[in-house]
Amino acid sequence: MKLLQKRSYQRTLAFFLLLILLLGTSGCQKEQAPALPPVSVAPSPVEPEPEPTISTDDSEHESFASLYSKNSDTVGWIRLDGTKTNNVVMRNDDNYYYLDRKFDGRRADSGELYIDAACHMDKDSMSQNITIHGHHMINGTMFGQLKKYQDINFYKQHPTFRFDSMYRNYTWKVFAVFIVDLTRPDFFYYPKADFASGEEFMSFVDTIQKLSMLETSVDVVETDHIVCLSTCTYVSDNARLVVAARRVREYESLSVDVEQARRK
């Protein structure tokens, strides 16, 4: 009798374990948009890793040429004042390639900053929305200090940053900071690169502004270009912190009126 009860208990336990496994698996299939690269909080490297350097004077495009000659995946350089981010930016058709590889091909937890594979940055054109992925490194490198933009005072001190292509220098004005929970089946797919119309682009920007934890004076129109800086955050198991910025227009002032900027 005890043997029968034991076998019955084992069958019941096995049934519930199988049910839990099936439910967990089905939950992973709810995303409607392509999955984002698993950019995550990575440990600080044991030893400092040398980074390619680039000058900020008139020779910078010569420096880009030198970088490109060493690795043709090079597309630009980004510098966020007030943070440790001062890095080369890469692109590869494999969206996972630079998650754990450096500029020179070495394996490293920090990887490199890289634009989404759906984006392009050419001499004569670029995607209307460029997404740059990067690890949230504990030592503050890569996008480890991107979270500073959640502080309204930091934003007021650093409302712009530089993200240059190999062909032109660009200043970008931050207009939104938001968090996306990728576990939600209806999550906002912010790495969308190009748009069929100005109306579609403005609808995309409107969603960003509604999600933003900051309210800024920086406007966006349908002919603008924007960039989304993306890294992980601890808000949930699979969430991204995103800083969105608009490219400074030709003949536009580089200054930003930050007096009315506020946390929502």
Side-chain angles (χ1 to χ4, degrees):
M1 184 67 178
K2 290 183 177 180
L3 181 59
L4 290 175
Q5 290 177 337
K6 182 177 180 180
R7 288 178 177 173
S8 177
Y9 170 77
Q10 290 174 336
R11 291 193 196 99
T12 303
L13 179 60
F15 171 78
F16 280 109
L17 288 175
L18 179 60
L19 181 62
I20 291 171
L21 179 62
L22 289 173
L23 289 173
T25 304
S26 64
C28 295
Q29 299 172 347
K30 292 181 179 178
E31 293 184 359
Q32 300 300 312
L36 297 174
V39 180
S40 60
V41 175
S44 302
V46 176
E47 297 180 0
E49 297 178 349
E51 303 286 352
T53 57
I54 186 169
S55 65
T56 53
D57 55 26
D58 292 337
S59 67
E60 61 187 2
H61 291 292
E62 295 178 10
S63 299
F64 269 130
S66 175
L67 289 173
Y68 188 81
S69 69
K70 296 173 183 176
N71 188 333
S72 60
D73 284 348
T74 304
V75 294
W77 193 275
I78 187 169
R79 186 182 73 233
L80 308 179
D81 291 339
T83 78
K84 293 183 179 181
T85 301
N86 188 24
N87 296 77
V88 66
V89 179
M90 316 298 291
R91 184 196 175 281
N92 191 282
D93 288 337
D94 179 356
N95 230 19
Y96 295 83
Y97 186 81
Y98 285 105
L99 278 176
D100 60 356
R101 285 184 180 87
K102 301 302 292 179
F103 175 85
D104 59 8
R106 288 180 295 117
R107 293 278 185 173
D109 289 336
S110 59
E112 288 289 5
L113 302 182
Y114 64 95
I115 70 172
D116 197 85
C119 304
H120 73 275
M121 289 186 67
D122 304 321
K123 184 175 182 180
D124 299 318
S125 67
M126 66 170 64
S127 293
Q128 196 164 13
N129 174 37
I130 300 286
T131 297
I132 306 179
H133 301 286
H135 282 300
H136 177 180
M137 296 298 291
I138 294 173
N139 66 3
T141 58
M142 298 296 122
F143 279 161
Q145 295 183 324
L146 199 63
K147 59 189 176 185
K148 286 187 173 184
Y149 283 98
Q150 297 175 94
D151 181 345
I152 188 63
N153 292 318
F154 179 84
Y155 166 76
K156 287 184 176 182
Q157 295 170 7
H158 306 283
T160 66
F161 60 82
R162 281 279 296 276
F163 171 40
D164 301 332
S165 75
M166 291 198 303
Y167 311 102
R168 290 188 62 182
N169 302 332
Y170 295 109
T171 298
W172 304 76
K173 297 183 176 183
V174 175
F175 71 89
V177 180
F178 61 98
I179 290 174
V180 174
D181 184 352
L182 304 185
T183 63
R184 292 177 57 91
D186 59 345
F187 77 88
F188 173 56
Y189 190 67
Y190 59 88
K192 183 176 176 62
D194 296 290
F195 305 85
S197 65
E199 182 180 1
E200 182 185 8
F201 174 68
M202 290 308 298
S203 176
F204 180 84
V205 170
D206 183 60
T207 300
I208 290 178
Q209 291 172 326
K210 287 177 179 176
L211 291 172
S212 180
M213 62 185 73
L214 301 185
E215 186 173 302
T216 75
S217 64
V218 180
D219 67 320
V220 181
V221 299
E222 62 182 31
T223 55
D224 283 327
H225 285 75
I226 65 175
V227 63
C228 288
L229 314 182
S230 171
T231 193
C232 65
T233 178
Y234 282 124
V235 171
S236 68
D237 291 339
N238 197 13
R240 296 292 183 272
L241 171 68
V242 184
V243 174
R246 189 257 293 163
R247 195 175 75 189
V248 171
R249 302 164 189 142
E250 193 171 6
Y251 306 119
E252 180 186 14
S253 169
L254 299 181
S255 64
V256 176
D257 180 7
V258 298
E259 292 304 315
Q260 301 303 316
R262 65 179 183 87
R263 279 277 307 211
K264 291 182 179 177

